[in-house]
Amino acid sequence: MAGNGAVQQAVVEGVLERITYANEESGYTVARVDTGRGSGDLLTVVGSLLGAQPGESLRMEGRWGSHPQYGKQFTVENYRTVLPATIQGIRRYLGSGLIKGIGPKIADRIVEHFGTDTLDVIEAEPKRLIEVPGLGPKRTRLIGAAWEEQKAIKEVMVFLQGVGVSTSIAVRIYKKYADASISVVRNQPYRLAADVWGIGFLTADRIAQAVGIPHDSPERVRAGLQYALSQSTDQGHCFLPEERLIADGVKLLQVDTGLVIECLAELAADPEGVVRESVPDPEGGPPLTAVYLVPFHRAELSLVGQVRRLLNAEEDRMPGFRDVDWDKALGWLAGRTGAKLAAEQRDAVRLALTRRVAVLTGGPGCGKSFTVRSIVELARAKKAKVVLAAPTGRAAKRLAELTGAEASTVHRLLELKPGGDAAYDRERPLDADLVVVDEASMLDLLLANKLVKAVAPGAHLLLVGDVDQLPSVGAGEVLRDLLAEGSPVPAVRLTRIFRQAQQSGVVTNAHRINTGLPPLTDGLPDFFLFPEEDTEEAGRLAVDVAARRIPARFGLDPRRDVQVLAPMHRGPAGAGNLNGLLQQAITPARPGLAEKRFGGRVFRVGDKVTQIRNNYEKGANGVFNGTVGVVTALDAEEQRLTVRTEEDEEVAYEFAELDELAHAYAVTIHRSQGSEYPAVVIPVTTGAWMMLQRNLLYTAVTRAKKLVVLVGSRKALAQAVRTVSAGRRHTAVAARLSGRIPVGNIT
């Protein structure tokens, strides 16, 4: 130590043995390093080490310090990976799964053969690997290619680490641009935000700053405005009012208003930039200037045009229902199903079979499912070709069980291809007389547009869903817009709760919440409240209830049958923190259980996981945001993890793609839409105060088939029931449908 109390800079070299803690948001990491002193003692290092992998040799710069509990430790300020020099180091390095195709056994064989020259051989003469017993030409080629890629990525990594980019993003940049990576990053950093998933404007902006692009560069401002619009679509908006976009742009970019207005005009003049259009103010004020990203404007025009086209089609693919004797038909149906339809259900059946587009909505226990089954039975009796779909795998499974017919996800039905284009569209429509889509509240604007485009003229489209649930995760509120005042689409809302459903506490309380009444939490066999005012304690209690108490009392499987639904992702009772606690409780680390650390997460065989982006390249027809599955295999040598999805499809993930997966023991209520679980546990805490709204709680409760357990504060629960969401989404679909905006060219 220097005499003035300053701590001197030091350098430590060693092999990274294991990471004991990593926070993926801040990058803060606690790790154990073998400095090769031979004593067997490992050194604790702390700091930003995200991206370093166990087995790598690191040269770390930083400062020595001491922790009251953990003793002597080294704080890393920056690090780089170096190639190990000792035989033991080389063996560890190669056997750690860093190079695809080399696992511990093959690493031992290679090192045994080449000794300390091993890395030089792989670097300069990889063909010589064929000398190693058991290594054929194919494996040798693979190892050579993997080493080259690793080396090239390392070069990009060293460059990107200087600007704070994580390993997984560096790998993505390399996969996208290969040898041009450094040139693109240096000269066109804002391209990254558009081209590479996982890089938003903020990361691109940080890189741009590091490579010297001026703060007030028009390229930066245009990219920032497109980012602000893209962020708003993530929040559900199809457009932003121009004044709000300009204000958001000024705040985000910290530049003059004049420059933002100028750059917005440039974007509006670019056919691939943005679209400006005057739309009515839903509050009744003067018209707004709406600013859209091009795909969302096209989708609004197209969706409205296609709905009108279907409604006004002259042909009818189910003409047999025009002059049917309904009393006779419904009598026949009652004989088949063993139950009579209520009056509003009969209206819905007639509507679906005689009108080209119709909507059926209503809450739980009101007979939506039975009505759908009746519609399908009658259509089939007239030899109509019926196609059934839902936005998620779980909802499609449920629809299939209900109707006794095959049902698929909308994505599979349309056969979406890489890039997001559908195999079925206006030019090649679905061969169906009746298309029924359940859980239609989940349809966002882009998917609804693709779906409606694929319905043949004269075919009937029935959308079924609960309009009081949260709107779709993606932009728009299509179901609500189709039901809005002035919409030409006919609809039936089921309101009568059937007697058997009235005996369910889950159904009763869902309707109470929806009408602004507090749920009943005493004396019901299927609806409980565990009061706990402290947010952190409520989180721990929710984990105990889901992982231990419900399985013990009700015999349910904590992984398959119980789902924790949190109002938000962050915080002590948020989905992120609860996932870590639930994983410890349900799939803890144990000897012999394969696992892979990626960023701040550890994936293990048996983990419940969810896909967090649409990826059209994966699986048979893509794997989509919200798809849930279980990790069934983990191969360190091939650097691959396998997930069996709820659609019973085995999907492989390269280790570099693991930022597409998150744990799903707990999910946010938004992400649970369209899914049903035997039991749900809902932490309702004052820590989530801003999120507590009636439709959020209603959506969570309606996800449960048999059992709901609320954990948390009575005050927070009252706030959720009382608060009606004021935040409507910016969309002009309803205004276009009702004719308040003239229909332009439909693309």
Side-chain angles (χ1 to χ4, degrees):
M1 295 238 175
N4 62 2
V7 181
Q8 278 188 321
Q9 196 77 6
V11 174
V12 169
E13 288 198 5
V15 176
L16 181 61
E17 284 290 327
R18 63 177 179 274
I19 292 171
T20 52
Y21 169 80
N23 181 317
E24 61 187 310
E25 280 166 19
S26 67
Y28 181 78
T29 306
V30 179
R32 306 279 279 157
V33 169
D34 182 356
T35 53
R37 297 243 161 81
S39 61
D41 288 348
L42 297 179
L43 168 68
T44 298
V45 299
V46 299
S48 184
L49 274 172
L50 270 195
Q53 301 284 352
E56 286 187 310
S57 293
L58 306 180
R59 187 174 195 278
M60 298 166 285
E61 293 174 11
R63 299 171 194 280
W64 287 102
S66 186
H67 187 280
Q69 194 178 340
Y70 304 112
K72 188 178 178 185
Q73 62 182 34
F74 188 74
T75 300
V76 181
E77 282 163 12
N78 55 60
Y79 79 92
R80 62 191 177 85
T81 53
V82 290
L83 292 177
T86 65
I87 284 201
Q88 187 51 30
I90 292 169
R91 184 178 277 123
R92 273 298 318 269
Y93 178 71
L94 281 184
S96 64
L98 279 169
I99 308 298
K100 203 170 180 176
I102 304 184
K105 283 183 187 151
I106 290 192
D108 285 348
R109 276 193 232 151
I110 296 173
V111 175
E112 214 164 282
H113 191 80
F114 295 113
T116 48
D117 295 337
T118 296
L119 299 183
D120 295 334
V121 169
I122 299 177
E123 166 80 40
E125 307 171 85
K127 287 187 176 133
R128 281 191 60 198
L129 288 169
I130 203 156
E131 297 170 20
V132 177
L135 277 193
K138 189 179 170 197
R139 174 73 62 105
T140 299
R141 266 199 313 277
L142 274 175
I143 293 171
W147 178 267
E148 281 304 312
E149 186 178 3
Q150 190 70 20
K151 218 171 63 184
I153 289 174
K154 276 277 184 295
E155 206 180 313
V156 175
M157 298 276 294
V158 169
F159 177 71
L160 290 174
Q161 258 158 8
V163 291
V165 174
S166 74
T167 319
S168 58
I169 298 288
V171 170
R172 281 232 163 84
I173 290 173
Y174 181 77
K175 281 200 166 152
K176 179 77 186 170
Y177 305 116
D179 296 343
S181 297
I182 290 177
S183 158
V184 170
V185 169
R186 200 170 264 143
N187 303 315
Q188 303 168 279
Y190 292 107
R191 255 182 79 185
L192 302 174
D195 290 355
V196 182
W197 181 75
I199 296 192
F201 171 78
L202 299 178
T203 306
D205 201 33
R206 204 168 61 229
I207 295 170
Q209 206 178 341
V211 299
I213 286 180
H215 187 70
D216 58 356
S217 131
E219 183 195 1
R220 175 175 184 263
V221 177
R222 288 194 298 270
L225 286 168
Q226 287 183 300
Y227 167 73
L229 277 176
S230 164
Q231 283 291 96
S232 75
T233 65
D234 288 347
Q235 288 151 15
H237 301 300
C238 299
F239 68 80
L240 277 184
E242 187 175 45
E243 285 175 13
R244 181 172 153 191
L245 176 60
I246 291 166
D248 286 358
V250 169
K251 190 174 163 191
L252 169 74
L253 298 159
Q254 301 288 299
V255 294
D256 291 346
T257 308
L259 179 60
V260 171
I261 291 170
E262 230 169 85
C263 290
L264 182 55
E266 287 168 19
L267 277 173
D270 176 355
E272 294 303 311
V274 299
V275 176
R276 285 199 283 201
E277 187 183 8
S278 178
V279 303
D281 178 5
E283 307 297 313
L288 306 169
T289 300
V291 186
Y292 288 84
L293 288 172
V294 173
F296 292 89
H297 187 256
R298 280 188 190 141
E300 274 203 1
L301 291 180
S302 171
L303 174 66
V304 171
Q306 306 296 344
V307 167
R308 289 183 183 286
R309 175 178 68 92
L310 290 178
L311 282 168
N312 302 329
E314 285 180 16
E315 63 263 56
D316 185 353
R317 290 183 59 153
M318 295 206 295
F321 288 102
R322 274 191 215 148
D323 42 19
V324 81
D325 179 336
W326 284 103
D327 287 340
K328 195 174 164 188
L330 294 169
W332 172 86
L333 186 67
R336 288 270 302 196
T337 59
K340 276 187 170 175
L341 292 167
E344 53 191 17
Q345 290 178 306
R346 286 200 295 273
D347 293 344
V349 170
R350 258 204 301 272
L351 205 59
L353 296 172
T354 57
R355 302 293 294 272
R356 311 294 194 285
V357 184
V359 173
L360 170 62
T361 188
C366 292
K368 280 199 307 291
S369 298
F370 186 65
T371 309
V372 170
R373 189 181 143 196
S374 303
I375 290 164
V376 172
E377 287 269 3
L378 278 172
R380 281 225 196 95
K382 289 273 191 189
K383 302 283 184 284
K385 188 157 191 186
V386 182
V387 165
L388 305 168
T392 66
R394 274 186 184 230
K397 257 184 187 165
R398 200 172 64 240
L399 186 58
E401 285 160 14
L402 165 79
T403 54
E406 205 180 310
S408 70
T409 60
V410 177
H411 300 100
R412 269 177 197 272
L413 175 69
L414 301 177
E415 290 178 20
L416 290 186
K417 298 187 296 236
D421 291 328
Y424 292 95
D425 55 19
R426 195 167 170 175
E427 274 63 58
R428 186 193 173 200
L430 294 162
D431 178 20
D433 305 318
L434 170 64
V435 178
V436 180
V437 182
D438 199 6
E439 294 288 356
S441 61
M442 290 185 68
L443 287 176
D444 62 38
L445 172 68
L446 299 181
L447 187 58
N449 176 41
K450 288 188 172 89
L451 170 74
V452 177
K453 250 188 204 173
V455 179
H460 293 219
L461 172 65
L462 173 66
L463 298 173
V464 184
D466 184 347
V467 76
D468 294 323
Q469 283 180 30
L470 289 168
S472 56
V473 175
E477 40 188 17
V478 174
L479 191 66
R480 197 169 286 165
D481 286 339
L482 292 173
L483 288 163
E485 204 178 324
S487 164
V489 177
V492 169
R493 184 174 191 133
L494 303 178
T495 54
R496 180 187 150 195
I497 306 172
F498 285 88
R499 196 171 61 245
Q500 64 271 32
Q502 288 170 2
Q503 289 154 16
S504 154
V506 176
V507 171
T508 303
N509 279 332
H511 286 278
R512 284 181 68 89
I513 290 164
N514 205 24
T515 52
L517 295 169
L520 306 168
T521 55
D522 288 326
L524 293 171
D526 61 352
F527 203 104
F528 301 88
L529 168 66
F530 283 70
E532 176 51 69
E533 289 303 317
D534 180 75
T535 298
E536 213 159 305
E537 277 305 314
R540 278 198 283 272
L541 181 54
V543 169
D544 189 46
V545 166
R548 200 175 58 80
R549 298 192 197 191
I550 290 177
R553 178 159 170 195
F554 295 95
L556 295 173
D557 180 310
R559 194 182 282 114
R560 191 187 59 235
D561 302 328
V562 184
Q563 183 63 54
V564 176
L565 299 180
M568 56 199 284
H569 182 74
R570 290 169 187 253
N577 187 48
L578 295 183
N579 260 319
L581 296 173
L582 285 158
Q583 185 192 33
Q584 281 170 28
I586 297 169
T587 317
R590 56 175 199 269
L593 180 67
E595 64 173 49
K596 166 69 184 166
R597 178 176 285 280
F598 185 89
R601 299 184 182 128
V602 178
F603 292 99
R604 299 191 181 110
V605 171
D607 267 341
K608 183 176 181 179
V609 291
T610 180
Q611 172 81 8
I612 57 173
R613 69 174 283 228
N614 287 346
N615 186 336
Y616 298 98
E617 316 282 338
K618 284 214 162 301
N621 290 109
V623 180
F624 298 91
N625 188 352
T627 300
V628 173
V630 172
V631 178
T632 53
L634 219 160
D635 186 332
E637 197 167 301
E638 292 301 321
Q639 299 190 10
R640 192 178 295 131
L641 173 151
T642 308
V643 173
R644 187 172 198 83
T645 71
E646 58 199 357
E647 292 175 68
D648 293 327
E649 184 180 8
E650 296 273 344
V651 179
Y653 289 80
E654 301 288 319
F655 283 174
E657 300 174 312
L658 290 182
D659 53 354
E660 295 192 14
L661 286 178
H663 291 100
Y665 299 100
V667 297
T668 60
I669 296 166
H670 278 90
R671 291 190 71 83
S672 73
Q673 287 166 260
S675 291
E676 243 190 15
Y677 316 94
V680 301
V681 178
I682 310 164
V684 185
T685 65
T686 49
W689 197 256
M690 298 304 291
M691 295 294 291
L692 296 175
Q693 291 171 353
R694 188 181 297 171
N695 63 348
L696 190 83
L697 184 60
Y698 173 73
T699 299
V701 168
T702 55
R703 301 304 86 218
K705 280 194 276 198
K706 297 178 185 162
L707 175 69
V708 171
V709 182
L710 303 175
V711 179
S713 138
R714 291 184 192 276
K715 185 180 167 191
L717 180 58
Q719 163 75 0
V721 172
R722 201 171 46 235
T723 309
V724 177
S725 166
R728 289 305 299 269
R729 296 180 163 194
H730 292 299
T731 154
V733 169
R736 293 182 201 282
L737 272 171
S738 63
R740 285 179 292 145
I741 301 176
V743 178
N745 293 331
I746 305 303
T747 52

